[in-house]
Amino acid sequence: MSCNIVVLASGRGSNLKAIIDAINKGKIDAKISLVISDKKSSGALEIAKQNNIQAKFFDPAFFETRRGYDIYIAERIKKENPDLVVLAGYMRILSDEFIDAFEGKLLNIHPSLIPSFQGLKAQKQAIEFGAKFSGATVHFVNKELDNGPVIIQAVVPITLEDTPETLSEKILKWEHRIYPQAIKWFCEGRIKLEGRKVIVENAKYGELPVNPALEDF
Ligand code: GRF
C-alpha cells in the first residue's frame, strides 16, 4: 500500500519539489495528501498546487499561542491519516503536543552534520566556526531542536572561498538526494529505531560522502 505523506514547509520548497519528483518518477511508492505552510508566500504552496496536491496556508497570527497553532494543525494533519509527516524547511519550532502526536513518523532535514550547528543559519555557523566539513542530515524529530535520531548524513567540504550562499547551494544538492532516499526507506518499512540509533535494514554503511549509501538517488 502506498505511503501517505503530509509535508510542512515555510520557504521556497525545493526539498518538497525533490520529493514530488521522486514520487512522480516512481522511485517512491507514496502520495503527498497535503502540504501545509505557515507562510502565505511560500513557494512550497505553489509547487504543491502545480502538482495537484492539496495546499493549505494556516496563519499563525490567528492563534494566541504557538501551542494553539500546533494543536490545530496537528488535528488537521490527523484527518489525512498520514504514515509520515515531513518537515521540509519548516521554520517553526514545534511544541511538545505536536511532536507527541507524530513522534516516530516525523522527519526533518537540517543543513549541517548534527549535532554540529543546530538551529538557524547552520551554513553561516559552520563557516564562521571555521569547520572544514559540514553537510546535511535527515533525522527523526524529537523534543530537542535538530537533535533527533540520525537516519542519513551527507558530508560537504568547506573551501576557503565558501560563503553561506555557496555552501548552502552545495549542501542543498545533497539534501535533494538524501531526503527522498530516507523517505523511500521509511515507506518501505526498512527503518528501525534502537534507542537513538537508527538502523536502515540492508543498507550499506561506512562510505563517504553519504552514510548509509544512497541506493536510488
Ligand atoms: C533547507 O536548507 C533545509 O535544510 C532547511 O531549510 C531549507 C529549506 O529549503 N531546513 P527549501 O524550502 O526546501 O528549498
Side-chain angles (χ1 to χ4, degrees):
M1 215 186 62
S2 140
C3 194
N4 184 20
I5 303 174
V6 170
V7 177
L8 274 65
S10 305
R12 81 203 126 169
S14 71
N15 278 288
L16 170 66
K17 177 78 170 48
I19 297 161
I20 292 172
D21 288 349
I23 293 171
N24 290 346
K25 283 184 193 152
K27 290 186 174 188
I28 309 175
D29 183 15
K31 175 183 181 285
I32 300 176
S33 53
L34 173 63
V35 172
I36 290 178
S37 183
D38 60 322
K39 291 269 184 318
K40 198 176 183 180
S41 60
S42 167
L45 291 174
E46 273 317 302
I47 292 168
K49 284 180 204 151
Q50 285 160 12
N51 286 277
N52 299 315
I53 297 168
Q54 188 181 194
K56 300 265 182 221
F57 160 61
F58 295 117
D59 192 345
F62 285 133
F63 296 81
E64 263 175 37
T65 60
R66 180 161 64 87
R67 193 172 157 266
Y69 181 78
D70 283 3
I71 290 170
Y72 181 83
I73 59 167
E75 287 310 312
R76 181 63 191 82
I77 293 168
K78 281 182 200 158
K79 288 193 181 140
E80 302 296 329
N81 199 18
D83 301 296
L84 178 62
V85 178
V86 167
L87 307 179
Y90 188 62
M91 298 310 286
R92 293 172 65 83
I93 294 173
L94 294 166
S95 34
D96 289 357
E97 285 79 2
F98 188 95
I99 293 167
D100 284 335
F102 303 110
E103 200 161 359
K105 52 179 175 179
L106 183 57
L107 301 187
N108 184 40
I109 189 153
H110 185 72
S112 76
L113 298 172
I114 70 168
S116 289
F117 314 124
Q118 292 153 324
L120 291 174
K121 300 189 177 167
Q123 302 92 334
K124 186 164 179 269
Q125 288 184 51
I127 288 178
E128 286 177 358
F129 184 81
K132 299 299 175 263
F133 287 101
S134 192
T137 304
V138 178
H139 64 92
F140 281 106
V141 175
N142 63 12
K143 286 175 188 159
E144 301 158 59
L145 181 66
D146 299 325
N147 204 45
V150 171
I151 299 170
I152 182 170
Q153 291 185 308
V155 173
V156 174
I158 301 176
T159 67
L160 297 179
E161 292 74 35
D162 268 324
T163 62
E165 291 69 34
T166 62
L167 181 59
S168 298
E169 237 174 81
K170 290 183 217 173
I171 292 175
L172 199 62
K173 290 207 175 92
W174 287 107
E175 292 185 35
H176 295 163
R177 297 177 70 182
I178 66 173
Y179 218 175
Q181 178 68 78
I183 291 168
K184 181 177 172 123
W185 284 332
F186 185 94
C187 290
E188 290 172 344
R190 289 171 60 191
I191 297 188
K192 300 281 172 281
L193 202 53
E194 286 180 9
R196 62 161 297 130
K197 192 165 171 181
V198 176
I199 296 151
V200 181
E201 287 176 342
N202 299 315
K204 192 172 172 199
Y205 279 88
E207 281 174 17
L208 285 165
V210 181
N211 197 22
L214 292 166
E215 292 168 0
D216 304 281
F217 300 93

